[in-house]
Amino acid sequence: MHKKLFIPGPVEVSADVLAQMATPMIGHRSKNASELQHRISDKLRQVFYTQEEILLSTSSGSGLMEGAVRSCTLKKAVVFSVGAFGNRWHEMAVANNVAADLFEVEWGQATTAEMVDRALSTGEYDLLTVTHNETSTGLMNPVEEIAEVVKKYPEVVFCLDAVSSMGGTKIEVDKLGVDICITSTQKALGLPPGLSICSFSAKAVERAKQVPNRGYYLDLLSLYDYIKKKDYQYPSTPSLSHMFALDYQLDKMLEEGLDNRFRRHQEMAELVRSWGRKYFELFADERYLSNTLTNMKNTRAIDVADLNKKLGERGFQISNGYGKLKDKTFRIAHMAECTIGDLEELLENINDILKL
Ligand SMILES: *Cc1c(COP(=O)(O)O)cnc(C)c1O
């Protein structure tokens, strides 16, 4: 039996979107391939609220995160972490010989504008990474406030990990001054895993030109240059199947209306939060709760693996805690094409299994 996924990626993919993955191949050097990429970029610019260039990478989101920190750090990167994915960005910098400092807060807490201001004011850094939505803790950082202080430091390239939030909540990339905003297909965009997407600003382009060793496959400047020179094609063969599905799914998203889509996510989040507060406790700071997933403290000491096994028999799957939170929390994702009705059905089944 198929288990309906309520995990923070991969998410449930609609049957019609999945079917697009079976579209017959076209040559990746054809005019049709260029047109496909043009359509995708134009629609993604609407979702990202940007006029800047859009790059696709046939890798998961981690690929573009690694590419960003390596391609655009000249002096030193400052990595703000609020959980597992923030820490990963620092590990990537270190693994690529990119000088980087890590500022980590206690899990469940947010990165604040003051912290960012204090670090950037040292003048040591020329690239900043922030996690928009931390999937390990269920926290959404106050990115508007952070963006305000980053504007005081025009030499800093601002990278934002929006892997688990883009498409589920409004992120106005240009207004925020984000230079590289990264997401991947298997989360709030509602597609299968395997493709990642970023915006790439003119400032990021200029910076990358100064960086000598940007790697090869994940060199964002080479992707950018190729797109510009070869009419929106890629240096290596992209996942055309994902591109067919993305082109189609973006039409569906724009048809739903972005504001409607964001409102639906907000309502789903509120439903799961109120259930979580009633029967458990929420893990993250109440002021910064995520709109795309909710992380519950396991205050009833339930056996999460056993709950998931029983849910599985009924055709549902949720997620345990991430890493060190494995048995301490459990997570319910509410993103992409998920509906209030889906969540009500899930929560009724959890209540029934746990006799709540
Ligand atoms: C899933 C996730 C990633 C990693 O993305 P992949 O596509 O799995 O490589 C990075 N950051 C956050 C916040 C995520 O949720």
Side-chain angles (χ1 to χ4, degrees):
M1 180 182 34
H2 173 66
K3 293 181 205 165
K4 202 184 262 189
L5 298 179
F6 293 88
I7 62 175
V11 298
E12 211 47 37
V13 181
S14 312
D16 54 340
V17 175
L18 268 184
Q20 294 296 315
M21 296 285 289
T23 306
M25 284 304 120
I26 57 173
H28 68 297
R29 299 284 173 240
S30 64
K31 191 159 175 289
N32 287 347
S34 295
E35 286 167 0
L36 177 61
Q37 177 62 57
H38 272 291
R39 286 200 301 277
I40 289 172
S41 292
D42 287 345
K43 287 179 270 198
L44 281 170
R45 273 191 271 269
Q46 296 180 55
V47 177
F48 279 60
Y49 295 84
T50 185
Q51 306 292 321
E52 304 283 3
E53 198 49 86
I54 296 285
L55 306 177
L56 300 186
S57 167
T58 300
S59 66
S60 73
S62 303
L64 283 176
M65 288 169 69
E66 181 163 354
V69 75
R70 175 155 179 177
S71 303
C72 294
T73 309
L74 193 56
K75 238 161 49 179
K76 198 180 202 184
V78 60
V79 174
F80 283 91
S81 172
V82 294
F85 290 105
N87 289 350
R88 187 185 283 188
W89 224 337
H90 183 251
E91 288 164 29
M92 287 168 174
V94 171
N96 280 284
N97 270 324
V98 172
D101 287 337
L102 174 67
F103 290 80
E104 187 184 4
V105 295
E106 197 189 319
W107 285 26
Q109 302 302 307
T111 299
T112 63
E114 296 75 56
M115 288 164 53
V116 173
D117 199 9
R118 208 177 313 130
L120 294 183
S121 69
T122 62
E124 276 185 63
Y125 308 106
D126 61 359
L127 182 133
L128 159 75
T129 79
V130 172
T131 309
H132 180 248
N133 190 67
E134 179 51 70
T135 315
S136 61
T137 63
L139 177 132
M140 198 171 261
N141 263 322
V143 69
E144 284 86 7
E145 294 162 29
I146 293 169
E148 275 315 302
V149 304
V150 177
K151 284 177 185 158
K152 294 197 292 184
Y153 306 96
E155 72 284 7
V156 173
V157 170
F158 184 3
C159 302
L160 189 67
D161 172 354
V163 171
S164 60
S165 48
M166 183 59 80
T169 196
K170 193 173 199 172
I171 307 170
E172 294 180 276
V173 168
D174 286 357
K175 207 163 144 190
L176 294 169
V178 173
D179 295 295
I180 309 179
C181 187
I182 300 168
T183 195
S184 48
T185 44
Q186 78 279 15
K187 305 214 178 161
L189 292 176
L191 293 152
L195 194 72
S196 54
I197 303 163
C198 72
S199 61
F200 197 56
S201 74
K203 181 163 132 190
V205 172
E206 289 315 306
R207 169 60 56 73
K209 284 179 184 166
Q210 298 172 274
V211 176
N213 288 300
R214 300 183 301 272
Y216 189 88
Y217 188 70
L218 299 171
D219 172 6
L220 302 196
L221 184 60
S222 84
L223 294 179
Y224 176 87
D225 281 344
Y226 213 89
I227 271 190
K228 291 294 185 198
K229 286 189 196 116
K230 305 273 174 152
D231 193 21
Y232 280 70
Q233 295 178 4
Y234 284 94
S236 55
T237 325
S239 176
L240 292 159
S241 307
H242 279 93
M243 292 168 70
F244 293 133
L246 178 59
D247 185 33
Y248 177 89
Q249 169 69 354
L250 287 165
D251 282 337
K252 284 186 72 179
M253 286 173 58
L254 295 172
E255 213 168 285
E256 178 182 12
L258 292 176
D259 286 335
N260 292 335
R261 189 176 177 88
F262 302 148
R263 197 174 314 116
R264 176 167 60 80
H265 279 80
Q266 182 71 38
E267 287 165 6
M268 294 193 296
E270 280 163 15
L271 175 75
V272 177
R273 287 171 198 166
S274 55
W275 177 87
R277 289 189 195 103
K278 183 167 174 195
Y279 297 111
F280 295 90
E281 275 174 42
L282 304 188
F283 181 79
D285 186 329
E286 278 279 344
R287 294 170 293 174
Y288 307 113
L289 296 171
S290 163
N291 283 352
T292 55
L293 83 149
T294 300
N295 196 12
M296 257 69 58
K297 273 192 209 166
N298 187 4
T299 48
R300 293 172 178 257
I302 61 164
D303 181 340
V304 176
D306 185 61
L307 168 64
N308 232 347
K309 187 167 156 271
K310 291 185 174 133
L311 280 171
E313 288 158 9
R314 301 174 181 214
F316 306 95
Q317 189 183 339
I318 61 166
S319 191
N320 54 14
Y322 191 101
K324 66 185 182 188
L325 298 177
K326 189 168 186 292
D327 299 308
K328 297 196 177 89
T329 73
F330 65 95
R331 296 171 297 161
I332 296 176
H334 28 81
M335 58 173 91
E337 305 324 296
C338 186
T339 65
I340 289 277
D342 293 331
L343 289 164
E344 284 171 347
E345 196 187 6
L346 171 73
L347 298 176
E348 275 166 25
N349 276 278
I350 297 178
N351 285 356
D352 191 47
I353 291 166
L354 296 178
K355 306 198 169 23
L356 296 176

